[in-house]
Amino acid sequence: MDKNSIRIASYNMRKARGLDQQRRPERTAQVINGLGADVVVLQEADKRLGPRHPALPRKMIETETDFRLVEVSANSISIGWHGNAILVRKELTVRDIHRLDLPGLEPRGAVRVTMDIGAGVSVVATHLGLLRRDRRAQLSVLNEATATDGQVVIAGDFNEWSAHKGFEPLQERFQTHSPGRSFHARRPMAALDRFALSHGIEMRDGGVEQNALARVASDHLPIWADIIVP
């Protein structure tokens, strides 16, 4: 990995429940391993009820993936915050972990971490709400929370069906990229999963993973982007 470049991926893993309605975390781990990424942000990484047990067990991440888990959870059970988890290659240094609550009718959140890539980059993992007014408010919070950061990548399930509307809170500092249609996995129609890159970060390439395993492991397909951090 070049010291200024990374491949970042985002995957709404649907709590490891596939389109066959089977919950198979080992299948999810295979999809993640196949992305060739340095950083993977996950949505719906924890179950929703009770203590929010992880849908992808910690031990499985440790033994069956090429990544280590960034400890973003507020408890000792979950692997994420509001279902948002971050996996990184073992050689990457991660610091300054922040959990963010996001406004809206339903509980939503984001996680912000800093990585020693290039001059330093903040990676924000998030899963935005179902209503556009909530999403705009949530993006405003993320914009304000990263206002003093240098380079920033916001990655996740933006839940926005429009290619143009809904991103206004980011437009002064970010360029929003959609590598392609990622939902529904069986028949992709919408680019719900996106990256927002602060000005100065260069996107060299990007895509949607559409192999046979990814098409059944979740209702979303994973997305990835190769970026250069100044």
Side-chain angles (χ1 to χ4, degrees):
M1 182 182 70
D2 184 274
K3 64 180 181 179
N4 285 65
S5 67
I6 60 168
R7 172 170 288 191
I8 184 168
S10 177
Y11 187 27
N12 184 330
M13 53 176 275
R14 201 195 186 201
K15 308 175 191 69
R17 184 164 58 89
L19 299 186
D20 55 5
Q21 304 308 317
Q22 296 183 38
R23 198 181 299 277
R24 293 179 53 193
E26 70 281 359
R27 178 170 58 189
T28 301
Q30 284 183 264
V31 173
I32 292 169
N33 278 336
L35 297 173
D38 303 296
V39 179
V40 181
V41 305
L42 300 172
Q43 303 88 50
E44 299 192 20
D46 299 309
K47 299 173 185 176
R48 295 192 67 176
L49 301 178
R52 298 183 64 90
H53 287 284
L56 187 63
R58 290 170 180 267
K59 190 66 174 178
M60 184 174 290
I61 295 171
E62 179 183 338
T63 60
E64 298 187 30
T65 78
D66 303 322
F67 302 91
R68 63 181 174 89
L69 175 69
V70 179
E71 293 292 347
V72 301
S73 174
N75 60 40
S76 59
I77 300 172
S78 305
I79 64 170
W81 170 251
H82 288 278
N84 299 292
I86 302 177
L87 309 180
V88 298
R89 295 281 181 188
K90 296 177 173 63
E91 64 269 21
L92 281 177
T93 301
V94 178
R95 51 187 171 83
D96 300 332
I97 299 169
H98 299 278
R99 293 184 291 269
L100 303 171
D101 284 310
L102 299 181
L105 291 178
E106 51 186 331
R108 295 282 175 171
V111 179
R112 184 176 95 234
V113 301
T114 303
M115 297 184 183
D116 292 334
I117 300 167
V121 61
S122 293
V123 174
V124 179
T126 193
H127 187 180
L128 302 182
L130 298 175
L131 300 177
R132 182 173 288 159
R133 66 172 180 269
D134 287 349
R135 292 194 295 272
R136 284 183 171 135
Q138 291 158 5
L139 289 176
S140 292
V141 169
L142 297 183
N143 184 46
E144 292 170 8
T146 60
T148 59
D149 295 1
Q151 301 298 331
V152 182
V153 176
I154 302 174
D157 181 352
F158 279 40
N159 255 324
E160 178 57 70
W161 287 71
S162 171
H164 308 289
K165 296 180 180 179
F167 311 111
E168 294 85 357
L170 300 181
Q171 62 188 8
E172 289 189 9
R173 294 178 55 222
F174 295 86
Q175 185 171 2
T176 304
H177 296 269
S178 165
R181 296 176 181 177
S182 56
F183 181 86
H184 188 278
R186 182 177 288 116
R187 186 179 179 185
M189 298 176 61
L192 300 187
D193 303 279
R194 290 180 164 92
F195 302 105
L197 309 180
S198 62
H199 297 310
I201 296 179
E202 178 185 353
M203 184 168 176
R204 287 285 181 88
D205 198 7
V208 180
E209 180 56 67
Q210 301 190 56
N211 64 36
L213 196 63
R215 282 185 172 273
V216 71
S218 171
D219 57 349
H220 284 247
L221 296 168
I223 62 171
W224 56 271
D226 292 335
I227 64 172
I228 307 295
V229 180

